[in-house]
Structure formats: structure tokens, C-alpha cells
DNA sequence: GCGACAG
DNA sequence: ATCTTGTCGC
């Protein structure tokens, strides 16, 4: 009901956890990429979906879905609070492991440096990449960067520090345990369409599953 | 009064 | 995010 009142405390938690985020490649191999996404309706009933695919060939080797419910409202800057638990839950049902995970939402390119992708990465302690269609708030972006918005690819910095990049129509940033350079490389290598395959497949799966559940009930 | 606020 | 029809183009 009045979860909005918790934002000050939640923001404090995000600041603390943001300190745990690392931005260097912290994994042995890079062969399998995971993807996670959540589909939901106005009543917050939801379906979380996770996929694992081979980086080489982009073949999906495993898919899992989880019927659930979201208990925290959507508040810009706090998407992580809303979606991290279902995301971690569905990921835990996967039999196959992955080397890096792609998440539908920002990583450190966030007001407090801790978006959904970072929540998932730090809490699960795995490499994650944040991919989003839009910025949370342009006020956090350098004026200099905005001037280059016409270009199709550029780095985005905040207070003189690079926090992510605009790449092929998407905003990409480090979630955890990976460098922006590698993150961009993974996004590039998994892009067949505008949306990278890991999150695209996860999104399709979540949406389809949710739709089926709804109609098999009326 | 109104200003591009992830999904 | 989701709700929806047509439409443009390969």
C-alpha cells in the first residue's frame, strides 16, 4: 500500500550495495549467457522467465518460467526492489549455469549506481549486464553527452565517470563483475535484432507463458 | 504551469 | 509493462 514511504531507506540500501559492485571481468569462461525478464499485469500477477543460451550460435539450451506476484510498486529508480526477488527465484530453477547474465533494466547507470541488473548480480553474486531502452532520468546525464545523442553509439558519464553507453539503440551498463567493454561485446555478439537475444528470448517466454496462464483460466 | 523518470 | 489494428516492407 504505502511502500512509497520506504524509498529513503531503500535508497540507502542501494547506496550501500552499490559499493559491492565490481567492474572488472570476473569469470573464467564466456560461453553461456543467461537472460531474465518478467511479464506482469495491472494486478501485479506475473511470470518471470529465464533462459540460457550458447554465445556461439545463440542456441537456447534451457528455459524456465515462474508464476509469481510482484509486491512492490513500480517507482522509477526502484525497479530492482520490485523485480529482484522473482528474478533470482526463476534463475535458481535453471539446471544449466551461465557465465554472464543479461538483465532487462539498468546496471550502474542509475541514480544511485544500483539498478535492477546490479541487484541481481550482487545478490546472486554473478556477472550481469544491464540493458535498457530508455534512461531513468536524463538529468543524470552530462550535458556534453546529450549533444552527441544524434550519434548511434557513445559513452555516457556522470560526474566525469563513465557509467554506461548508448549502443545500437539500447542503454548498456555494468550490472556486476564485468567491464563495460566486455558487456558491450556480449551485447553485440548476442544481437540479431534490436534487443539482444538473452533478454528478447526471456521476454517472449515470459509474455507467452503469462498469456497462456491467463486464458487457461478465463 | 510544464519540463523525455528502467519495467 | 500491458491493452490492440492496421500497415509497411523484405
Amino acid at each position: 500500500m504505502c511502500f512509497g514511504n520506504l524509498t529513503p531507506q531503500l535508497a540507502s540500501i542501494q547506496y550501500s550495495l552499490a559499493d559491492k559492485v565490481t567492474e572488472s571481468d570476473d569469470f573464467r569462461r564466456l560461453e553461456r549467457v543467461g537472460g531474465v525478464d518478467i511479464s506482469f499485469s495491472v494486478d501485479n500477477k506475473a511470470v518471470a522467465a529465464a533462459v540460457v543460451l550458447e554465445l556461439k550460435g545463440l542456441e537456447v539450451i534451457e528455459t524456465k518460467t515462474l508464476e509469481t506476484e510482484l509486491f512492490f510498486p513500480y517507482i522509477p529508480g526502484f525497479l530492482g526492489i520490485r523485480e529482484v526477488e522473482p528474478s533470482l527465484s526463476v534463475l535458481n530453477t535453471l539446471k544449466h549455469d551461465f557465465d554472464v547474465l543479461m538483465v532487462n533494466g539498468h546496471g550502474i547507470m542509475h541514480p544511485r549506481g544500483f539498478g535492477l541488473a546490479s541487484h541481481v548480480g550482487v545478490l546472486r553474486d554473478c556477472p550481469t549486464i544491464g540493458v535498457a531502452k530508455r534512461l531513468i532520468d536524463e538529468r543524470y546525464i552530462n550535458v556534453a553527452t546529450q549533444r552527441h545523442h544524434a550519434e548511434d553509439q557513445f559513452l555516457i558519464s556522470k560526474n566525469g565517470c563513465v557509467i554506461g553507453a548508448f549502443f545500437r539503440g539500447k542503454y548498456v551498463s555494468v550490472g556486476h563483475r564485468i567491464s563495460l567493454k566486455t558487456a558491450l561485446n556480449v551485447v553485440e555478439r548476442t544481437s540479431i535484432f534490436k534487443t539482444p537475444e538473452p533478454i528478447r528470448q526471456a521476454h517472449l517466454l515470459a509474455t507467452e507463458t503469462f498469456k497462456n496462464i491467463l486464458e487457461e483460466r478465463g
Side-chain angles (χ1 to χ4, degrees):
Chain A
M1 290 268 133
C2 307
F3 292 114
N5 297 322
L6 294 173
T7 53
Q9 291 89 327
L10 295 172
S12 177
I13 291 173
Q14 291 181 320
Y15 276 124
S16 300
L17 293 176
D19 286 338
K20 297 179 176 294
V21 172
T22 58
E23 297 180 56
S24 58
D25 297 323
D26 188 9
F27 42 84
R28 290 281 176 195
R29 339 163 279 169
L30 184 42
E31 299 168 2
R32 288 177 177 174
V33 185
V36 63
D37 188 45
I38 297 177
S39 179
F40 62 89
S41 53
V42 288
D43 59 356
N44 285 325
K45 295 300 180 185
V47 167
V51 302
V52 178
L53 49 84
E54 298 282 1
L55 187 53
K56 179 181 174 61
L58 301 181
E59 178 194 2
V60 177
I61 61 175
E62 184 181 5
T63 66
K64 277 289 187 299
T65 61
L66 174 66
E67 195 178 337
T68 182
E69 185 170 0
L70 304 179
F71 298 100
F72 192 80
Y74 168 66
I75 299 174
F78 298 91
L79 178 66
I81 306 299
R82 177 173 166 80
E83 300 189 350
V84 70
E85 191 279 322
S87 299
L88 293 173
S89 294
V90 73
L91 287 171
N92 282 334
T93 68
L94 290 170
K95 292 180 180 177
H96 294 70
D97 198 11
F98 47 78
D99 305 308
V100 56
L101 175 69
M102 206 173 282
V103 180
N104 209 318
H106 293 296
I108 64 174
M109 192 158 68
H110 173 276
R112 291 166 291 283
F114 202 70
L116 173 61
S118 294
H119 282 70
V120 176
V122 170
L123 297 187
R124 185 192 163 84
D125 191 23
C126 72
T128 59
I129 299 171
V131 179
K133 304 179 191 68
R134 307 160 52 183
L135 291 171
I136 293 181
D137 189 329
E138 283 205 33
R139 286 178 296 182
Y140 293 102
I141 307 306
N142 282 351
V143 176
T145 303
Q146 293 183 42
R147 294 212 190 89
H148 298 297
H149 212 294
E151 298 175 35
D152 62 351
Q153 181 174 324
F154 53 85
L155 294 177
I156 295 173
S157 45
K158 173 181 176 182
N159 300 325
C161 295
V162 174
I163 56 174
F166 182 72
F167 183 72
R168 297 189 174 186
K170 303 288 182 186
Y171 290 96
V172 179
S173 64
V174 170
H176 186 46
R177 291 175 54 176
I178 192 169
S179 64
L180 177 60
K181 184 177 186 295
T182 303
L184 290 170
N185 182 271
V186 174
V187 168
E188 179 169 46
R189 294 168 66 184
T190 57
S191 292
I192 297 177
F193 303 107
K194 274 299 182 183
T195 302
E197 284 302 286
I199 53 181
R200 176 172 167 276
Q201 292 295 342
H203 181 266
L204 289 174
L205 179 59
T207 304
E208 287 306 301
T209 303
F210 193 37
K211 190 184 69 177
N212 292 330
I213 289 179
L214 290 181
E215 60 188 38
E216 76 181 27
R217 291 182 179 175

